mmCIF file of all heavy atoms in Angstrom:
data_model
loop_
_atom_site.group_PDB
_atom_site.id
_atom_site.type_symbol
_atom_site.label_atom_id
_atom_site.label_comp_id
_atom_site.label_asym_id
_atom_site.label_seq_id
_atom_site.Cartn_x
_atom_site.Cartn_y
_atom_site.Cartn_z
ATOM 1 N N SER A 199 -121.914 -4.978 113.160
ATOM 2 C CA SER A 199 -122.327 -4.892 114.569
ATOM 3 C C SER A 199 -122.761 -3.450 114.833
ATOM 4 O O SER A 199 -122.332 -2.538 114.118
ATOM 5 C CB SER A 199 -121.183 -5.311 115.503
ATOM 6 O OG SER A 199 -120.068 -4.503 115.252
ATOM 7 N N PRO A 200 -123.607 -3.228 115.855
ATOM 8 C CA PRO A 200 -124.136 -1.874 116.065
ATOM 9 C C PRO A 200 -123.037 -0.835 116.296
ATOM 10 O O PRO A 200 -123.197 0.314 115.914
ATOM 11 C CB PRO A 200 -125.024 -2.034 117.298
ATOM 12 C CG PRO A 200 -125.415 -3.461 117.305
ATOM 13 C CD PRO A 200 -124.237 -4.219 116.753
ATOM 14 N N ASN A 201 -121.920 -1.228 116.922
ATOM 15 C CA ASN A 201 -120.891 -0.212 117.211
ATOM 16 C C ASN A 201 -119.780 -0.175 116.165
ATOM 17 O O ASN A 201 -118.733 0.430 116.369
ATOM 18 C CB ASN A 201 -120.302 -0.425 118.615
ATOM 19 C CG ASN A 201 -119.812 -1.849 118.797
ATOM 20 O OD1 ASN A 201 -119.825 -2.625 117.824
ATOM 21 N ND2 ASN A 201 -119.383 -2.194 119.991
ATOM 22 N N PHE A 202 -120.011 -0.803 114.998
ATOM 23 C CA PHE A 202 -119.021 -0.825 113.916
ATOM 24 C C PHE A 202 -118.858 0.576 113.332
ATOM 25 O O PHE A 202 -119.837 1.277 113.089
ATOM 26 C CB PHE A 202 -119.519 -1.784 112.833
ATOM 27 C CG PHE A 202 -118.593 -1.926 111.661
ATOM 28 C CD1 PHE A 202 -117.505 -2.776 111.723
ATOM 29 C CD2 PHE A 202 -118.815 -1.217 110.486
ATOM 30 C CE1 PHE A 202 -116.654 -2.918 110.634
ATOM 31 C CE2 PHE A 202 -117.976 -1.354 109.398
ATOM 32 C CZ PHE A 202 -116.891 -2.205 109.478
ATOM 33 N N ARG A 203 -117.632 0.987 113.137
ATOM 34 C CA ARG A 203 -117.374 2.314 112.555
ATOM 35 C C ARG A 203 -116.686 2.169 111.199
ATOM 36 O O ARG A 203 -115.727 1.401 111.085
ATOM 37 C CB ARG A 203 -116.441 3.142 113.453
ATOM 38 C CG ARG A 203 -116.988 3.443 114.823
ATOM 39 C CD ARG A 203 -118.008 4.605 114.810
ATOM 40 N NE ARG A 203 -118.796 4.580 116.044
ATOM 41 C CZ ARG A 203 -119.999 4.028 116.163
ATOM 42 N NH1 ARG A 203 -120.598 3.466 115.145
ATOM 43 N NH2 ARG A 203 -120.637 4.034 117.314
ATOM 44 N N SER A 204 -117.177 2.899 110.202
ATOM 45 C CA SER A 204 -116.488 2.957 108.914
ATOM 46 C C SER A 204 -117.020 4.161 108.159
ATOM 47 O O SER A 204 -118.045 4.736 108.535
ATOM 48 C CB SER A 204 -116.705 1.674 108.105
ATOM 49 O OG SER A 204 -117.690 1.861 107.129
ATOM 50 N N SER A 205 -116.325 4.531 107.090
ATOM 51 C CA SER A 205 -116.780 5.709 106.339
ATOM 52 C C SER A 205 -117.806 5.325 105.274
ATOM 53 O O SER A 205 -118.322 6.179 104.567
ATOM 54 C CB SER A 205 -115.578 6.409 105.702
ATOM 55 O OG SER A 205 -114.919 5.489 104.874
ATOM 56 N N TRP A 206 -118.108 4.039 105.148
ATOM 57 C CA TRP A 206 -119.099 3.607 104.153
ATOM 58 C C TRP A 206 -120.496 4.060 104.589
ATOM 59 O O TRP A 206 -120.846 3.951 105.763
ATOM 60 C CB TRP A 206 -119.093 2.075 104.012
ATOM 61 C CG TRP A 206 -117.929 1.565 103.238
ATOM 62 C CD1 TRP A 206 -116.612 1.668 103.571
ATOM 63 C CD2 TRP A 206 -117.987 0.847 102.001
ATOM 64 N NE1 TRP A 206 -115.843 1.058 102.614
ATOM 65 C CE2 TRP A 206 -116.656 0.550 101.637
ATOM 66 C CE3 TRP A 206 -119.027 0.431 101.167
ATOM 67 C CZ2 TRP A 206 -116.345 -0.152 100.476
ATOM 68 C CZ3 TRP A 206 -118.710 -0.266 100.017
ATOM 69 C CH2 TRP A 206 -117.383 -0.546 99.670
ATOM 70 N N LYS A 207 -121.251 4.533 103.609
ATOM 71 C CA LYS A 207 -122.634 4.945 103.905
ATOM 72 C C LYS A 207 -123.553 3.807 103.468
ATOM 73 O O LYS A 207 -123.635 3.497 102.279
ATOM 74 C CB LYS A 207 -123.006 6.196 103.100
ATOM 75 C CG LYS A 207 -122.189 7.415 103.459
ATOM 76 C CD LYS A 207 -122.952 8.331 104.425
ATOM 77 C CE LYS A 207 -122.142 9.535 104.837
ATOM 78 N NZ LYS A 207 -120.941 9.198 105.640
ATOM 79 N N LEU A 208 -124.206 3.199 104.417
ATOM 80 C CA LEU A 208 -125.103 2.089 104.093
ATOM 81 C C LEU A 208 -126.545 2.546 104.283
ATOM 82 O O LEU A 208 -126.830 3.409 105.123
ATOM 83 C CB LEU A 208 -124.820 0.893 105.009
ATOM 84 C CG LEU A 208 -123.388 0.339 104.988
ATOM 85 C CD1 LEU A 208 -123.241 -0.769 106.024
ATOM 86 C CD2 LEU A 208 -123.034 -0.193 103.609
ATOM 87 N N LYS A 209 -127.440 1.932 103.521
ATOM 88 C CA LYS A 209 -128.854 2.265 103.670
ATOM 89 C C LYS A 209 -129.625 0.974 103.908
ATOM 90 O O LYS A 209 -129.582 0.062 103.062
ATOM 91 C CB LYS A 209 -129.326 2.961 102.393
ATOM 92 C CG LYS A 209 -130.729 3.470 102.498
ATOM 93 C CD LYS A 209 -131.104 4.292 101.280
ATOM 94 C CE LYS A 209 -132.567 4.639 101.336
ATOM 95 N NZ LYS A 209 -133.106 5.004 100.057
ATOM 96 N N GLU A 210 -130.292 0.889 105.027
ATOM 97 C CA GLU A 210 -130.988 -0.351 105.380
ATOM 98 C C GLU A 210 -132.073 -0.677 104.349
ATOM 99 O O GLU A 210 -132.868 0.184 103.973
ATOM 100 C CB GLU A 210 -131.592 -0.239 106.786
ATOM 101 C CG GLU A 210 -130.524 -0.033 107.846
ATOM 102 C CD GLU A 210 -131.012 -0.303 109.265
ATOM 103 O OE1 GLU A 210 -132.218 -0.545 109.461
ATOM 104 O OE2 GLU A 210 -130.159 -0.286 110.172
ATOM 105 N N ALA A 211 -132.088 -1.936 103.920
ATOM 106 C CA ALA A 211 -132.984 -2.331 102.829
ATOM 107 C C ALA A 211 -134.362 -2.759 103.332
ATOM 108 O O ALA A 211 -135.344 -2.664 102.607
ATOM 109 C CB ALA A 211 -132.361 -3.474 102.041
ATOM 110 N N LEU A 212 -134.422 -3.233 104.552
ATOM 111 C CA LEU A 212 -135.654 -3.887 105.003
ATOM 112 C C LEU A 212 -136.460 -2.992 105.948
ATOM 113 O O LEU A 212 -135.894 -2.295 106.781
ATOM 114 C CB LEU A 212 -135.254 -5.185 105.715
ATOM 115 C CG LEU A 212 -136.253 -6.042 106.477
ATOM 116 C CD1 LEU A 212 -135.784 -7.494 106.436
ATOM 117 C CD2 LEU A 212 -136.409 -5.619 107.918
ATOM 118 N N SER A 213 -137.758 -3.016 105.780
ATOM 119 C CA SER A 213 -138.602 -2.476 106.843
ATOM 120 C C SER A 213 -139.711 -3.495 107.099
ATOM 121 O O SER A 213 -140.116 -4.226 106.187
ATOM 122 C CB SER A 213 -139.162 -1.103 106.474
ATOM 123 O OG SER A 213 -139.878 -1.169 105.281
ATOM 124 N N LEU A 214 -140.122 -3.573 108.349
ATOM 125 C CA LEU A 214 -141.140 -4.555 108.741
ATOM 126 C C LEU A 214 -142.396 -3.788 109.145
ATOM 127 O O LEU A 214 -142.360 -2.964 110.061
ATOM 128 C CB LEU A 214 -140.608 -5.395 109.914
ATOM 129 C CG LEU A 214 -141.534 -6.461 110.461
ATOM 130 C CD1 LEU A 214 -141.834 -7.544 109.425
ATOM 131 C CD2 LEU A 214 -140.916 -7.123 111.705
ATOM 132 N N HIS A 215 -143.460 -4.044 108.415
ATOM 133 C CA HIS A 215 -144.698 -3.289 108.633
ATOM 134 C C HIS A 215 -145.821 -4.192 109.126
ATOM 135 O O HIS A 215 -145.883 -5.362 108.764
ATOM 136 C CB HIS A 215 -145.191 -2.665 107.314
ATOM 137 C CG HIS A 215 -144.291 -1.595 106.804
ATOM 138 N ND1 HIS A 215 -144.702 -0.293 106.677
ATOM 139 C CD2 HIS A 215 -143.013 -1.634 106.390
ATOM 140 C CE1 HIS A 215 -143.708 0.435 106.212
ATOM 141 N NE2 HIS A 215 -142.669 -0.359 106.017
ATOM 142 N N SER A 216 -146.722 -3.604 109.886
ATOM 143 C CA SER A 216 -147.970 -4.275 110.214
ATOM 144 C C SER A 216 -149.046 -3.185 110.260
ATOM 145 O O SER A 216 -148.813 -2.074 109.767
ATOM 146 C CB SER A 216 -147.839 -5.030 111.543
ATOM 147 O OG SER A 216 -149.010 -5.781 111.770
ATOM 148 N N ARG A 217 -150.174 -3.528 110.837
ATOM 149 C CA ARG A 217 -151.240 -2.515 110.947
ATOM 150 C C ARG A 217 -151.912 -2.669 112.307
ATOM 151 O O ARG A 217 -151.853 -3.739 112.914
ATOM 152 C CB ARG A 217 -152.276 -2.733 109.837
ATOM 153 C CG ARG A 217 -151.687 -2.458 108.467
ATOM 154 C CD ARG A 217 -152.609 -2.906 107.373
ATOM 155 N NE ARG A 217 -153.753 -2.033 107.233
ATOM 156 C CZ ARG A 217 -154.828 -2.345 106.511
ATOM 157 N NH1 ARG A 217 -154.924 -3.516 105.895
ATOM 158 N NH2 ARG A 217 -155.814 -1.493 106.405
ATOM 159 N N LEU A 218 -152.552 -1.599 112.756
ATOM 160 C CA LEU A 218 -153.314 -1.715 114.005
ATOM 161 C C LEU A 218 -154.561 -2.536 113.708
ATOM 162 O O LEU A 218 -155.370 -2.157 112.852
ATOM 163 C CB LEU A 218 -153.737 -0.316 114.497
ATOM 164 C CG LEU A 218 -152.641 0.565 115.100
ATOM 165 C CD1 LEU A 218 -153.203 1.966 115.403
ATOM 166 C CD2 LEU A 218 -152.090 -0.054 116.379
ATOM 167 N N SER A 219 -154.693 -3.682 114.375
ATOM 168 C CA SER A 219 -155.867 -4.506 114.081
ATOM 169 C C SER A 219 -157.003 -4.208 115.069
ATOM 170 O O SER A 219 -158.145 -4.579 114.827
ATOM 171 C CB SER A 219 -155.514 -5.985 114.114
ATOM 172 O OG SER A 219 -155.068 -6.343 115.390
ATOM 173 N N LEU A 220 -156.665 -3.547 116.183
ATOM 174 C CA LEU A 220 -157.681 -3.219 117.185
ATOM 175 C C LEU A 220 -157.148 -2.093 118.055
ATOM 176 O O LEU A 220 -155.955 -2.082 118.380
ATOM 177 C CB LEU A 220 -157.940 -4.469 118.055
ATOM 178 C CG LEU A 220 -159.006 -4.378 119.121
ATOM 179 C CD1 LEU A 220 -160.398 -4.353 118.490
ATOM 180 C CD2 LEU A 220 -158.921 -5.575 120.065
ATOM 181 N N VAL A 221 -158.000 -1.141 118.387
ATOM 182 C CA VAL A 221 -157.614 -0.103 119.363
ATOM 183 C C VAL A 221 -158.655 -0.155 120.463
ATOM 184 O O VAL A 221 -159.860 -0.112 120.186
ATOM 185 C CB VAL A 221 -157.588 1.306 118.709
ATOM 186 C CG1 VAL A 221 -157.268 2.373 119.757
ATOM 187 C CG2 VAL A 221 -156.573 1.358 117.568
ATOM 188 N N LYS A 222 -158.189 -0.305 121.722
ATOM 189 C CA LYS A 222 -159.172 -0.398 122.800
ATOM 190 C C LYS A 222 -158.770 0.466 123.981
ATOM 191 O O LYS A 222 -157.584 0.698 124.225
ATOM 192 C CB LYS A 222 -159.366 -1.856 123.212
ATOM 193 C CG LYS A 222 -158.143 -2.478 123.836
ATOM 194 C CD LYS A 222 -158.293 -3.958 123.966
ATOM 195 C CE LYS A 222 -159.211 -4.314 125.110
ATOM 196 N NZ LYS A 222 -159.298 -5.777 125.257
ATOM 197 N N PHE A 223 -159.769 0.908 124.723
ATOM 198 C CA PHE A 223 -159.538 1.749 125.893
ATOM 199 C C PHE A 223 -159.262 0.844 127.095
ATOM 200 O O PHE A 223 -159.968 -0.138 127.328
ATOM 201 C CB PHE A 223 -160.786 2.613 126.135
ATOM 202 C CG PHE A 223 -160.659 3.495 127.323
ATOM 203 C CD1 PHE A 223 -159.878 4.646 127.266
ATOM 204 C CD2 PHE A 223 -161.294 3.180 128.510
ATOM 205 C CE1 PHE A 223 -159.736 5.453 128.382
ATOM 206 C CE2 PHE A 223 -161.155 3.983 129.629
ATOM 207 C CZ PHE A 223 -160.372 5.126 129.557
ATOM 208 N N VAL A 224 -158.215 1.179 127.865
ATOM 209 C CA VAL A 224 -157.898 0.404 129.081
ATOM 210 C C VAL A 224 -157.679 1.398 130.218
ATOM 211 O O VAL A 224 -157.007 2.418 130.058
ATOM 212 C CB VAL A 224 -156.619 -0.466 128.874
ATOM 213 C CG1 VAL A 224 -156.300 -1.263 130.141
ATOM 214 C CG2 VAL A 224 -156.791 -1.428 127.701
#
Side-chain angles (χ1 to χ4, degrees):
S199 57
N201 53 6
F202 181 82
R203 298 281 163 263
S204 100
S205 58
W206 284 63
K207 296 261 178 294
L208 302 176
K209 186 173 173 200
E210 298 196 354
L212 172 151
S213 57
L214 180 64
H215 292 243
S216 186
R217 293 170 73 193
L218 286 174
S219 62
L220 183 72
V221 177
K222 66 191 284 182
F223 179 76
V224 180

